[in-house]
Amino acid sequence: MDTEKLLASLNEEQKQAVLLTEGYVRVIAGAGSGKTRALTARYAYLVQELGISPSNILCITFTNKAAREMKKRLRYFLGDGIDTSFVSTLHAFCTRVLREDIGRLFYPENFVVLDNSDQKSILEEIYEELNIKMDTATFEFMIDKIRYEKNLITYLDYLAVPGNEISGAVPKDLEQKIIYRYMEKQKKYFGLDFFDLINFTIYLFRNHTDILEKWQNRMNYIMVDEFQDITMKEFKLIRHLTEKHQNFFAVGDPDQNIYEWRGSKMEVLLNFEENLRKYFADGADSYIPQQQKNELKAEFYTVLLNQNYRSSPEILNASNSLISKNQNRIEKNLFTDNPSGIMPEHFHGKNDKEEIRYIAEKINAHVKDGGKYSDIAVLYRSAYVSRFIEQGFLKANIPYVVFGGFGFYERREIKDVLSYMRLVCYGDDLSFLRISNIPRRRLGKNKTAILKEYAAKSKTTLYEALKENAHSPSFANTGAKKFIEVIESAKEASDSLQVSELLQKLLIDSGYEQYIRESGEMDRLDNVSELLRSIAQLEADYGEPLTLSVFLQDISLHRDTEEDENKDNVKIMTAHTSKGLEFNTVIVAGMSEKTFPSARALEERREEALEEERRLAYVAMTRAKQKLFITESEGYGFKGYSRTPSRFLFDIADENIKRIGEIGADIMAEYALQTVMRRNCAENYFEKGTNVKHKVFGEGVIEDADEVTKTYTIRFLVGVKQIRFDYQGLSQVF
């Protein structure tokens, strides 16, 4: 395609972004505004019209999939012979840098890039060496801790010297001992994980400015996609690369930043010019001495892409109405020339059954009108919400596939707890093999081999074999006896307890609930809680006592849903997974308060999390091209709180959404009470150290403010008291 045709295919704002080839250019690209087209066209323009070599253009994408898609488009524009190797993720670029120069850090060029499985294998070695039980420090928890430790500059210094010892570092506890040993093994294997790739490159540039200058000379033009999701560390790396030629093109949308919880800093995009001017003015965070730094010579530009090519005007009006409630953003209203469509709908049901019935009706109507199942995506905030969707689709014979994840009943923790229940009911070998050593009881491969041999000779099950051998010397230092006590106790109680009560007993007695809590993976605990809730609901609806065997039989009929994603299936996925995708019809399910927005996110990060949760809802809504349905229902969660509609549903103006289903006065009263409490909490929140006055206890000082329990610890003359954030009888003393 020649340049004239290339530019003719763009709108005026996209064309402006393409033609601004020099300087620092920030492109605020709204959802569905054709940012990938603009990014690709700019790359092609640099090569075709300006004669820039692709080997001098670095284009950073957020995912490998996005990089592949962009390379495919570039081949269409420029032909198959073009070198697009510098169109890559930042991790892939850092790997390339390190392959050339990691020898300066006493590492071989053929170092190993460790994936998550490799990391767990290293930890498994360490756990075996230190004789650590899995339920005291799981792999996922420790990997997060290792990432945190690696953020410390002292670790980077350690990497730069030969040998396997961490100089002067004495582990203060078992956790740190595991981390240090992990680092030593990693160095011994010459392996770098994804986090190291960024850290090592930064370390190289900081300590070897000739290497930084080499890459600065190579990369004449740098473009970065999804810039709103960049971390500060990644921004530092890119900023120094752009310093010499000062041709930097950043594309992003603050309204679609949904990864602050894992380190992204939207402020980098919001305060783009301010951050860069400060860097050139005072050399903040520079790797190069101030006297060697380049001066800021480039101009700054901002281009706003707010014409949407994806969605109907009605979907955009609802989405704009929602996101306008956020404060931390760049003001913009998406518009479109697409034809008018149907009004988005908000359905309120009395229970899960009504909600899934409404969803199924919308899907069946679409297919009856000649549409395909694959035109439709059902999105949700948290994985546990998929449970009632999957069950409903099975009953309604709606084909589906869990996109980018596992089906609810395929999740590890759900399989684990169901295996505990099956072992109680059936005593089968498959269930025994799955959970006999979870949490760890020293019933590993060697002990299992002994049991298998005994069971084969005695023609019995592995569980019975364990019962008959639990007192033998081979099992003396294991948790065999305790495990048997747990299962036998559950068997005795299975006739008198309801299934949900039995599962609660098993979770506590076996230590499995504590095992999940200690892992730090609270999403897994949410999934188990959802299973408990669904069992309690099933018991209420069953009409007669639900036995363990009947429940397990019902679950076993839940067929495998892992199917080819290219088949005609409804796609179900989390809202995070939907980023970058689009569908004819989108159904956002389970939009209840405490689910969407996530209660845990709000507890951990308060107002910042609320705005991010609203952005996530905005991302979910703007995936829709022609039809958008948002659903929620009443009922009681397992923890006993009533489910009210999400506050986000009321952020959308009534003229922009059709409300279906009657919300009872009691639900609205509860919603109003929650709103008042949230407002009071926000208005009355006091920082640690604030002098306050209690209407009964008098004056005091806030010693702590616990955002999880929403309570202050206040020292009064009468003693220390715990006071709720939302308590109205507390005022500040000035």
Side-chain angles (χ1 to χ4, degrees):
M1 182 183 288
D2 61 40
T3 305
E4 190 174 331
K5 286 183 180 178
L6 182 67
L7 295 177
S9 67
L10 307 175
N11 65 34
E12 288 305 310
E13 289 73 25
Q14 290 171 334
K15 195 180 298 182
Q16 181 187 8
V18 169
L19 296 178
L20 281 171
T21 61
E22 311 303 306
Y24 288 96
V25 183
R26 176 181 65 169
V27 178
I28 306 300
S33 63
K35 71 176 178 65
T36 305
R37 171 179 282 270
L39 196 67
T40 308
R42 187 176 192 270
Y43 189 110
Y45 182 80
L46 288 172
V47 174
Q48 244 179 11
E49 191 67 18
L50 302 189
I52 305 298
S53 169
S55 62
N56 297 126
I57 304 172
L58 175 62
C59 184
I60 298 297
T61 61
F62 194 64
T63 64
N64 288 315
K65 182 181 178 182
R68 289 193 297 270
E69 177 62 27
M70 188 168 177
K71 288 180 180 183
K72 182 179 176 181
R73 294 193 188 198
L74 286 171
R75 285 195 295 272
Y76 170 75
F77 285 133
L78 301 172
D80 289 335
I82 182 174
D83 175 16
T84 57
S85 59
F86 281 114
V87 177
S88 70
T89 64
L90 190 58
H91 289 100
F93 170 72
C94 288
T95 301
R96 185 159 179 172
V97 171
L98 294 171
R99 293 288 182 208
E100 288 192 20
D101 294 303
I102 200 171
R104 300 278 192 99
L105 303 182
F106 307 99
Y107 269 69
E109 292 176 4
N110 62 340
F111 62 87
V112 177
V113 178
L114 303 171
D115 60 18
N116 194 251
S117 175
D118 296 323
Q119 289 178 286
K120 289 179 179 179
S121 294
I122 293 175
L123 284 172
E124 195 170 348
E125 285 183 44
I126 296 169
Y127 282 26
E128 200 68 37
E129 292 167 3
L130 298 178
N131 200 22
I132 300 172
K133 292 184 179 180
M134 274 293 295
D135 56 349
T136 60
T138 66
F139 294 158
E140 292 83 359
F141 175 79
M142 285 309 306
I143 287 171
D144 282 341
K145 289 289 185 181
I146 289 164
R147 277 199 201 100
Y148 174 78
E149 190 81 10
K150 286 181 178 180
N151 226 357
L152 306 177
I153 198 69
T154 51
Y155 174 54
L156 296 178
D157 288 332
Y158 145 72
L159 289 172
V161 298
N164 288 326
E165 296 300 323
I166 304 177
S167 339
V170 179
K172 61 184 180 183
D173 52 28
L174 178 61
E175 186 178 284
Q176 201 167 67
K177 187 173 185 179
I178 295 169
I179 293 170
Y180 286 179
R181 190 165 292 200
Y182 175 92
M183 293 176 182
E184 289 169 359
K185 283 184 178 291
Q186 190 182 353
K187 187 171 183 184
K188 177 183 176 183
Y189 301 147
F190 297 118
L192 307 186
D193 58 35
F194 284 179
F195 197 77
D196 294 324
L197 296 174
I198 303 290
N199 271 348
F200 271 52
T201 304
I202 287 175
Y203 187 83
L204 264 180
F205 287 170
R206 180 168 67 87
N207 290 276
H208 302 278
T209 54
D210 59 318
I211 296 175
L212 172 59
E213 288 168 356
K214 176 179 71 174
W215 285 98
Q216 284 178 335
N217 289 333
R218 284 188 193 178
M219 302 291 95
N220 296 351
Y221 292 86
I222 296 176
M223 300 190 287
V224 181
D225 194 12
E226 303 287 3
F227 197 66
Q228 77 280 347
D229 291 325
I230 201 165
T231 67
M232 281 305 299
K233 184 163 284 190
E234 292 166 346
F235 179 50
K236 287 179 186 179
L237 179 60
I238 292 167
R239 183 175 58 193
H240 299 311
L241 283 171
T242 67
E243 185 184 323
K244 181 169 185 179
H245 295 287
Q246 298 179 21
N247 296 319
F248 183 26
F249 186 81
V251 185
D253 180 11
D255 289 339
Q256 295 187 74
N257 170 247
I258 58 175
Y259 292 111
E260 280 189 340
W261 54 275
R262 69 182 192 194
S264 70
K265 293 294 181 185
M266 184 174 61
E267 290 75 14
V268 171
L269 181 61
L270 290 173
N271 306 319
F272 184 68
E273 181 174 349
E274 178 187 335
N275 285 330
L276 286 160
R277 286 194 181 280
K278 182 174 179 189
Y279 166 66
F280 279 98
D282 59 19
D285 300 317
S286 176
Y287 305 151
I288 299 179
Q290 185 67 19
Q291 64 270 20
Q292 296 178 27
K293 282 175 57 63
N294 295 291
E295 294 181 5
L296 176 60
K297 298 176 182 177
E299 296 294 328
F300 287 86
Y301 306 92
T302 292
V303 179
L304 182 64
L305 303 184
N306 61 352
Q307 180 173 357
N308 178 283
Y309 292 92
R310 175 187 300 151
S311 305
S312 70
E314 290 79 6
I315 291 171
L316 290 185
N317 289 339
S319 303
N320 286 334
S321 181
L322 171 71
I323 200 63
S324 67
K325 305 303 186 293
N326 270 9
Q327 301 298 314
N328 196 23
R329 64 188 294 260
I330 293 174
E331 186 75 25
K332 71 176 185 303
N333 268 319
L334 295 181
F335 71 94
T336 185
D337 291 335
N338 290 340
S340 185
I342 69 168
M343 183 74 73
E345 293 181 8
H346 160 211
F347 174 81
H348 172 82
K350 294 299 180 184
N351 49 50
D352 290 355
K353 290 180 181 178
E354 286 190 11
E355 186 175 357
I356 195 63
R357 188 183 304 126
Y358 171 85
I359 293 171
E361 285 172 358
K362 292 300 178 184
I363 293 171
N364 289 330
H366 174 80
V367 174
K368 188 176 180 181
D369 290 341
K372 296 180 178 179
Y373 289 112
S374 55
D375 295 334
I376 302 170
V378 180
L379 312 181
Y380 40 83
R381 171 60 179 88
S382 300
Y384 66 83
V385 177
S386 73
R387 192 273 314 164
F388 89 94
I389 298 169
E390 292 186 60
Q391 284 190 335
F393 282 1
L394 288 170
K395 290 178 181 176
N397 291 317
I398 293 174
Y400 72 93
V401 62
V402 181
F403 190 86
F406 296 102
F408 183 80
Y409 291 98
E410 295 302 308
R411 296 180 183 278
R412 177 179 43 164
E413 59 276 11
I414 300 303
K415 285 186 171 183
D416 286 347
V417 296
L418 289 176
S419 291
Y420 268 106
M421 298 172 82
R422 276 196 296 265
L423 189 62
V424 170
C425 191
Y426 307 128
D428 63 298
D429 286 355
L430 284 177
S431 298
F432 178 86
L433 288 170
R434 182 173 186 89
I435 50 86
S436 59
N437 205 35
I438 299 177
R440 192 172 179 183
R441 303 181 176 93
R442 298 183 184 274
L443 295 174
K445 294 178 182 178
N446 293 336
K447 298 296 186 290
T448 302
I450 294 171
L451 293 176
K452 284 181 176 179
E453 183 179 353
Y454 182 90
K457 288 180 181 177
S458 305
K459 296 184 179 180
T460 188
T461 65
L462 293 175
Y463 178 66
E464 288 299 324
L466 181 65
K467 286 173 65 177
E468 293 171 21
N469 288 275
H471 295 280
S472 72
S474 298
F475 294 87
N477 296 317
T478 70
K481 293 178 183 178
K482 174 62 177 174
F483 179 60
I484 292 167
E485 286 175 11
V486 169
I487 302 303
E488 292 302 309
S489 174
K491 282 184 178 182
E492 290 177 14
S494 62
D495 290 334
S496 57
L497 295 180
Q498 291 190 342
V499 177
S500 58
E501 295 171 332
L502 180 67
L503 179 50
Q504 282 183 284
K505 174 180 171 61
L506 278 167
L507 287 170
I508 294 169
D509 292 353
S510 67
Y512 191 82
E513 181 178 342
Q514 186 66 20
Y515 163 70
I516 296 179
R517 289 186 184 281
E518 290 179 353
S519 76
E521 296 179 284
M522 300 310 289
D523 285 347
R524 293 176 60 196
L525 193 61
D526 285 342
N527 290 336
V528 173
S529 294
E530 176 62 17
L531 178 65
L532 276 164
R533 195 192 75 80
S534 70
I535 296 171
Q537 186 66 53
L538 185 61
E539 289 167 342
D541 295 343
Y542 203 66
E544 59 183 85
L546 178 68
T547 65
L548 179 59
S549 60
V550 170
F551 166 72
L552 292 172
Q553 177 181 305
D554 184 65
I555 291 296
S556 69
L557 296 176
H558 192 289
R559 70 171 186 264
D560 184 12
T561 59
E562 296 295 326
E563 300 184 47
D564 187 345
E565 291 177 1
N566 295 319
K567 290 183 180 178
D568 190 21
N569 297 314
V570 174
K571 305 289 193 300
I572 70 174
M573 68 189 79
T574 64
H576 280 97
T577 302
S578 74
K579 178 83 178 291
L581 304 176
E582 59 181 36
F583 302 91
N584 178 292
T585 299
V586 167
I587 302 168
V588 185
M591 191 170 269
S592 302
E593 191 65 23
K594 299 187 179 180
T595 298
F596 204 164
S598 160
R600 182 174 300 117
L602 298 187
E603 286 173 358
E604 290 172 353
R605 296 190 294 118
R606 294 174 65 84
E607 194 62 32
E608 286 182 2
L610 178 61
E611 293 220 345
E612 182 169 356
E613 291 287 303
R614 190 179 282 113
R615 291 194 296 268
L616 183 58
Y618 173 79
V619 165
M621 291 168 63
T622 53
R623 301 309 94 194
K625 296 165 72 174
Q626 296 179 17
K627 299 175 185 176
L628 173 64
F629 306 104
I630 306 175
T631 69
E632 46 82 24
S633 58
E634 299 171 26
Y636 288 85
F638 185 74
K639 295 177 182 176
Y641 55 76
S642 178
R643 286 160 57 182
T644 59
S646 168
R647 68 187 80 181
F648 296 155
L649 288 164
F650 300 104
D651 284 342
I652 303 171
D654 285 341
E655 63 265 24
N656 294 325
I657 195 164
K658 181 180 179 182
R659 312 282 184 184
I660 299 174
E662 182 180 351
I663 304 178
D666 57 335
I667 294 294
M668 288 309 297
E670 184 175 343
Y671 176 79
L673 177 62
Q674 290 175 1
T675 303
V676 170
M677 289 178 66
R678 287 195 296 266
R679 187 181 298 119
N680 289 341
C681 183
E683 290 173 356
N684 295 336
Y685 180 75
F686 301 120
E687 299 290 340
K688 187 175 174 181
T690 303
N691 293 313
V692 292
K693 184 176 182 179
H694 190 283
K695 69 178 183 180
V696 175
F697 300 132
E699 293 189 8
V701 178
I702 294 178
E703 295 187 337
D704 191 25
D706 190 326
E707 295 186 5
V708 176
T709 62
K710 298 290 188 295
T711 57
Y712 300 113
T713 300
I714 306 177
R715 181 172 294 280
F716 298 102
L717 288 175
V718 295
V720 176
K721 306 288 183 184
Q722 308 294 324
I723 306 295
R724 300 192 322 272
F725 282 1
D726 60 358
Y727 175 65
Q728 297 299 294
L730 202 64
S731 58
Q732 185 170 0
V733 177
F734 294 96

